[in-house]
Amino acid sequence: MKQYKFILSGGGTGGHIYPAIAIANELKTRFPDADFLFVGAKDKMEMQKVPQAGYKIIGLWIAGLQRRFTFDNTLFPIKLISSLLKSRTIIKQFKPDVVIGTGGFASGPLLQIAALCGIPTLIQEQNSFPGITNKLLSKRANKICVAYENLQRFFPKEKMILTGNPVRQDLIDIESKRAEAVRYFDLDPNKKTILVLGGSLGARRINQLIAKEILTFSVHNVQVIWQCGKLYFEEYKYCQENENIQIHSFIDRMDLVYAAADFVISRAGASSVSELCIVGKPVIFIPSPNVAEDHQTKNAQAVVDKNGAILLKENQLDTQFSVVFESLVNDPEKQKELSENIKQLALPEATKQIVDEIIKLVQIRKA
């Protein structure tokens, strides 16, 4: 049997990295002898996270254009040419059967070269509003796996398959882990637990909000597990003086923290939204306004439109958060309604369906 080779590229944030790792893990389950190579951007978090997951990664000298004029923007053409040349070398030397892109700057040059070399390519778009890299790549991609409906205005309809986003498979049955989670995080089982997530890098505005609202949480006798991001841990660790507040720079056991949570306050990155649909807990989304095309708001709105979550914009936090939070905590019927509705949006087989499409491309090439 042929030993298959796969290149995966995606990075910059956890929202691009973890879907790529999930796809690689599923491919490895089906093809234990396959060779895998990741391609990322130098100095980005994928250069640490991918090796931690057990895969080799090569970094390209690439970065996106900044919205304001900077010296880095003047280097963009040089970085792009360098990355295209290095991508060509990688493709020629590794000889992949399929190249998979999950978004981020590095996937652009790599998938462009793969397509020009006649290698089948698949892109996985996590967001309800695609990033510029995937929009450009879609013209040459063989397959486009999407997580939201109605993306025909961005991608060729005949190439799209609605699969959902790859998520950690250990999230599928978190209810059975509740007791373990309470022990792991040393929680009071008689108190409600709020999980606060600001994305893999943390979120300054959410951190400011939680620090400001500690008294609100105390009044309602709830305990908080707060992932603040490593950039912010030193600034906010003093909040742990309150016995009901736990602060973590990063949480490794997401299955257990979701199992422990009764409510979630979260950014609306695509991977987080997909995970929260599977987890099925009441959610208050606070989208980041500082992302391309405001796609986090669009991600959250797609859930809110199905009455599956609450959305608060950053400019509403000072005036509306405490009112919205208190009404949710005090309304068990609302909690149940949100949980049931967000679960209806879950696509737990996403990773397997994406890999099914990758295998089809392998078989077409083999034929």
Side-chain angles (χ1 to χ4, degrees):
M1 182 178 176
K2 183 183 186 303
Q3 185 175 354
Y4 293 113
K5 294 184 174 184
F6 302 101
I7 295 183
L8 300 98
S9 182
T13 67
H16 294 311
I17 298 165
Y18 296 119
I21 291 172
I23 291 168
N25 289 342
E26 177 65 20
L27 281 166
K28 196 170 188 178
T29 298
R30 302 199 200 184
F31 303 107
D33 296 326
D35 279 347
F36 295 89
L37 177 65
F38 279 69
V39 175
K42 285 181 178 178
D43 302 322
K44 296 296 184 180
M45 65 184 293
E46 59 264 30
M47 303 307 293
Q48 286 76 46
K49 297 300 180 184
V50 169
Q52 287 171 9
Y55 295 101
K56 180 182 177 183
I57 186 167
I58 295 174
L60 301 179
W61 187 42
I62 188 69
L65 286 166
Q66 304 298 309
R67 296 182 184 182
R68 64 189 188 281
F69 180 80
T70 65
F71 176 71
D72 283 344
N73 278 352
T74 65
L75 293 175
F76 179 77
I78 300 169
K79 290 181 178 182
L80 180 59
I81 292 168
S82 167
S83 296
L84 287 166
L85 292 172
K86 189 166 183 178
S87 294
R88 188 175 186 278
T89 300
I90 291 168
I91 295 289
K92 292 291 186 184
Q93 291 180 349
F94 192 77
K95 297 181 173 64
D97 292 284
V98 180
V99 177
I100 302 117
T102 58
F105 306 123
S107 64
L110 184 81
L111 269 77
Q112 185 73 9
I113 293 296
L116 290 172
C117 291
I119 309 295
T121 62
L122 177 145
I123 58 178
Q124 193 266 321
E125 175 55 57
Q126 297 100 35
N127 291 294
S128 58
F129 196 100
I132 189 169
T133 301
N134 278 352
K135 282 192 278 190
L136 292 171
L137 291 173
S138 68
K139 296 175 176 61
R140 292 185 178 273
N142 297 83
K143 296 280 186 178
I144 305 165
C145 294
V146 298
Y148 293 88
E149 297 174 336
N150 305 315
L151 296 187
Q152 296 91 328
R153 60 200 167 114
F154 305 112
F155 299 138
K157 185 177 180 180
E158 68 277 6
K159 294 182 180 182
M160 285 195 302
I161 305 99
L162 179 65
T163 59
N165 283 321
V167 297
R168 301 167 173 90
Q169 291 304 295
D170 57 6
L171 303 184
I172 303 298
D173 179 28
I174 59 166
E175 290 307 315
S176 65
K177 301 179 181 181
R178 177 82 177 194
E180 180 186 358
V182 168
R183 291 194 301 272
Y184 185 88
F185 288 100
D186 194 23
L187 298 168
D188 183 341
N190 299 312
K191 291 182 179 180
K192 296 289 187 180
T193 300
I194 301 164
L195 170 63
V196 180
L197 300 171
S200 54
L201 301 176
R204 176 177 295 280
R205 189 65 187 88
I206 290 180
N207 289 339
Q208 291 172 340
L209 171 74
I210 301 307
K212 174 175 168 283
E213 296 292 343
I214 284 178
L215 181 59
T216 299
F217 301 136
S218 296
V219 167
H220 289 278
N221 197 30
V222 295
Q223 51 203 347
V224 180
I225 302 176
W226 173 8
Q227 180 180 281
C228 67
K230 66 179 182 180
L231 298 177
Y232 301 103
F233 182 76
E234 290 300 318
E235 183 178 353
Y236 289 101
K237 67 181 181 181
Y238 75 91
C239 295
Q240 293 189 113
E241 294 170 6
N242 184 305
E243 63 178 10
N244 290 321
I245 307 289
Q246 289 187 31
I247 304 180
H248 302 265
S249 60
F250 189 79
I251 298 172
D252 290 313
R253 289 299 304 273
M254 290 304 296
D255 58 328
L256 293 186
V257 82
Y258 281 134
D262 296 289
F263 311 94
V264 183
I265 297 168
S266 177
R267 281 298 200 208
S271 293
S272 295
V273 173
S274 295
E275 288 183 358
L276 289 164
C277 288
I278 287 173
V279 167
K281 302 292 175 78
V283 183
I284 298 174
F285 284 121
I286 304 173
S288 170
N290 307 312
V291 293
E293 308 293 348
D294 198 22
H295 67 250
Q296 285 204 9
T297 298
K298 295 177 176 71
N299 292 344
Q301 193 64 53
V303 180
V304 173
D305 287 344
K306 301 291 178 66
N307 196 23
I310 296 168
L311 190 158
L312 278 177
K313 295 187 177 182
E314 284 195 354
N315 60 13
Q316 300 173 313
L317 294 179
D318 289 335
T319 58
Q320 296 188 34
F321 176 79
S322 58
V323 174
V324 169
F325 174 76
E326 288 173 15
S327 64
L328 178 61
V329 169
N330 293 325
D331 190 344
E333 285 302 312
K334 181 67 172 178
Q335 297 164 25
K336 182 180 178 184
E337 181 183 29
L338 292 177
S339 292
E340 290 176 350
N341 290 339
I342 198 171
K343 278 184 179 178
Q344 295 299 314
L345 304 176
L347 294 168
E349 298 298 315
T351 312
K352 293 178 181 177
Q353 290 180 24
I354 292 166
V355 169
D356 287 344
E357 296 301 324
I358 294 169
I359 291 172
K360 289 176 187 176
L361 294 179
V362 171
Q363 290 170 340
I364 290 170
R365 189 162 195 242
K366 187 168 64 172

